[in-house]
Amino acid sequence: MELLQEWHKRKGNAATIQVLMEALQEAELQLVVDSLKEKYPELNEKPNSFKQLLTAKQPMEGACGRQQKNPVQTMSDKQSMDKPTAFNTGQVKQSVVQPKRKDTKVRPIRVGQPWVRKVRFGRYGSGRGKFNRPLGVAVSQDNEVYIADKGNTRIQVFTMDGVYIREFTTTLPGETGETLEPCDVAVDRNDNLWVVCEKHVVQYSREGTCLVTIDLPHVGYMCGITVSMATEQVIVTEFDGQNGRLRVFNQDGSEVGTYGAGHRSPEPWWPRYVTVDGEGNILVTDGKNHCIHVLDREGNFKFKFGSEGSDESQFKYPRGICVDGKGNIIVADGRNGCVKMFDSQGRFLCYIGSGMKVPWAVTVSPGGDVVVTHWKDHTVSVWTQD
């Protein structure tokens, strides 16, 4: 705390709690952040400056008078998270951090206003808050971020600030308890999770209890998934190496049919990720024709946009896709290393971020922030216009 006071003397109002937390997260010291928030509850209220912390209900003298963890020991604890322990091998794991329900009003996109990275978290590993090939991502209505941590066979849950909340291992029910490698995740209107791997679709509660299981034809390629709020149907992408399709299910597991035969592309399409807009239209990234397909809610072709290349309106192996509350389309342009935004008709609006290392999946929060998974460097980033 003496060091923090000295920093505040030098930096004044620029020495905010948010800056401190972001610096600790950037230095991969998430456990230190968690420890501070547990020791000083005032931090959970997000005071603007250390001056506010000093005048909070818990005075600085009282805080300094308590026995504090040795920072060296905290680093040691952090490093030990990579090793199997009773804490990091359980089915469901909890943190003391609990998300607060935030205002879900959608912020309008401000044309010309640049997007900035608010936070980046994660790195390679198996401990909490680390990833091994993070793929799909979804955000619930109360701003919980769900990451499909494929290589670690689990779903990890975070706040929008990148603070770890909990996790659960993705397994099938029954005696075998088969462990699944999740490729993508979606949230339905009841805040249940739909997770797809290469052989199954599983509906879990937000705590990780298996509710519904659907078997898929094993096609050997990673799948994407979404849940249509308009029809309450589950839509999964499928590719067998030659032909692609969308497989559609009711939430009880019964199959509705397959969509996408009329995609109107010169080459057989490779549907990668899928989303649904507010009108029920289905949008699909095509990794073979380097474009975006838009279908109506019955799966009939409406239009497509994009082509192979590196210009604003072109793609190279587009992957994740989502639609914000205003109908704007957000696409992870994988090989071009960027995330782009288009209007509902496919006209380019702006870059959300560039110079990325293989952006994979994208989603948008209720408040309009964009969350991106980065497959190559095992991280997640959150982007905002604030």
Side-chain angles (χ1 to χ4, degrees):
M1 287 306 236
E2 290 176 359
L3 288 173
L4 299 184
Q5 286 179 306
E6 179 63 27
W7 184 35
H8 184 250
K9 289 179 182 178
R10 294 184 181 184
K11 297 293 185 179
N13 291 334
T16 63
I17 295 297
Q18 289 87 341
V19 171
L20 169 65
M21 295 305 176
E22 290 173 6
L24 290 170
Q25 289 168 340
E26 189 73 16
E28 299 174 348
L29 298 177
Q30 184 61 55
L31 286 180
V32 179
V33 175
D34 295 343
S35 176
L36 284 171
K37 288 190 174 183
E38 182 177 0
K39 186 176 293 294
Y40 307 110
E42 295 84 6
L43 298 185
N44 292 314
E45 300 301 324
K46 291 189 176 180
N48 289 327
S49 70
F50 287 107
K51 183 177 180 181
Q52 286 180 260
L53 179 60
L54 293 172
T55 57
K57 292 180 180 179
Q58 213 168 25
M60 181 69 74
E61 290 77 10
C64 290
R66 295 189 184 128
Q67 182 180 1
Q68 300 186 39
K69 291 184 181 179
N70 186 325
V72 176
Q73 181 62 42
T74 303
M75 284 296 293
S76 176
D77 292 344
K78 174 181 178 292
Q79 292 166 353
S80 69
M81 292 306 299
D82 286 332
K83 301 177 182 179
T85 66
F87 178 81
N88 62 16
T89 56
Q91 175 74 11
V92 179
K93 306 157 191 181
Q94 294 283 346
S95 157
V96 297
V97 179
Q98 294 298 329
K100 297 180 180 180
R101 184 173 290 275
K102 300 181 180 179
D103 182 10
T104 57
K105 182 179 179 181
V106 176
R107 291 198 310 268
I109 298 301
R110 298 187 294 279
V111 178
Q113 180 73 17
W115 288 78
V116 295
R117 191 180 70 193
K118 183 166 72 171
V119 65
R120 181 180 65 184
F121 57 96
R123 63 171 176 145
Y124 179 77
S126 59
R128 72 177 190 177
K130 299 178 182 178
F131 304 104
N132 181 358
R133 290 173 293 158
L135 297 181
V137 58
V139 179
S140 68
Q141 286 301 307
D142 58 357
N143 288 300
E144 287 192 338
V145 182
Y146 298 91
I147 306 293
D149 189 3
K150 186 177 189 292
N152 288 319
T153 63
R154 64 186 177 184
I155 300 295
Q156 292 200 71
V157 190
F158 300 83
T159 69
M160 286 295 297
D161 295 319
V163 179
Y164 172 96
I165 302 174
R166 64 182 180 275
E167 65 186 79
F168 64 87
T169 304
T170 44
T171 58
L172 289 179
E175 295 181 359
T176 60
E178 179 184 352
T179 301
L180 309 177
E181 292 188 348
C183 297
D184 198 13
V185 59
V187 179
D188 64 25
R189 67 173 66 253
N190 297 314
D191 272 354
N192 293 316
L193 309 181
W194 290 86
V195 178
V196 64
C197 67
E198 293 176 359
K199 296 182 182 179
H200 307 280
V201 171
V202 185
Q203 183 193 37
Y204 295 97
S205 71
R206 58 190 296 160
E207 291 79 20
T209 302
C210 181
L211 303 175
V212 175
T213 302
I214 303 171
D215 293 333
L216 295 176
H218 180 55
V219 295
Y221 289 84
M222 290 184 290
C223 309
I225 192 170
T226 193
V227 178
S228 171
M229 297 300 177
T231 63
E232 297 193 0
Q233 293 174 337
V234 180
I235 305 172
V236 180
T237 64
E238 184 178 294
F239 183 65
D240 61 11
Q242 294 183 336
N243 297 294
R245 62 192 64 83
L246 303 179
R247 199 173 290 273
V248 185
F249 301 92
N250 293 313
Q251 293 196 17
D252 62 4
S254 59
E255 185 168 350
V256 175
T258 57
Y259 295 167
H263 57 78
R264 302 185 189 178
S265 292
E267 297 289 337
W269 74 330
W270 181 0
R272 301 299 305 269
Y273 278 77
V274 58
T275 193
V276 177
D277 68 15
E279 298 178 355
N281 296 312
I282 303 167
L283 297 91
V284 191
T285 55
D286 182 349
K288 199 165 188 178
N289 294 285
H290 309 279
C291 66
I292 311 301
H293 301 266
V294 181
L295 317 177
D296 66 19
R297 66 174 63 190
E298 285 80 33
N300 301 307
F301 176 85
K302 292 186 70 174
F303 68 94
K304 62 185 179 73
F305 64 93
S307 60
E308 184 174 7
S310 56
D311 290 342
E312 292 179 345
S313 298
Q314 295 181 310
F315 305 99
K316 283 187 178 179
Y317 299 100
R319 292 182 171 90
I321 186 170
C322 65
V323 178
D324 70 9
K326 299 296 183 181
N328 298 309
I329 303 165
I330 301 167
V331 182
D333 191 357
R335 291 287 179 86
N336 283 325
C338 59
V339 174
K340 300 174 179 177
M341 175 176 282
F342 302 83
D343 68 14
S344 61
Q345 300 304 308
R347 294 182 288 258
F348 177 82
L349 294 177
C350 64
Y351 287 94
I352 292 177
S354 60
M356 300 176 175
K357 293 183 178 180
V358 192
W360 198 273
V362 292
T363 193
V364 64
S365 75
D369 289 346
V370 175
V371 186
V372 185
T373 60
H374 304 268
W375 172 81
K376 190 170 183 179
D377 61 4
H378 312 279
T379 62
V380 177
S381 60
V382 181
W383 297 77
T384 186
Q385 281 193 308
D386 286 343

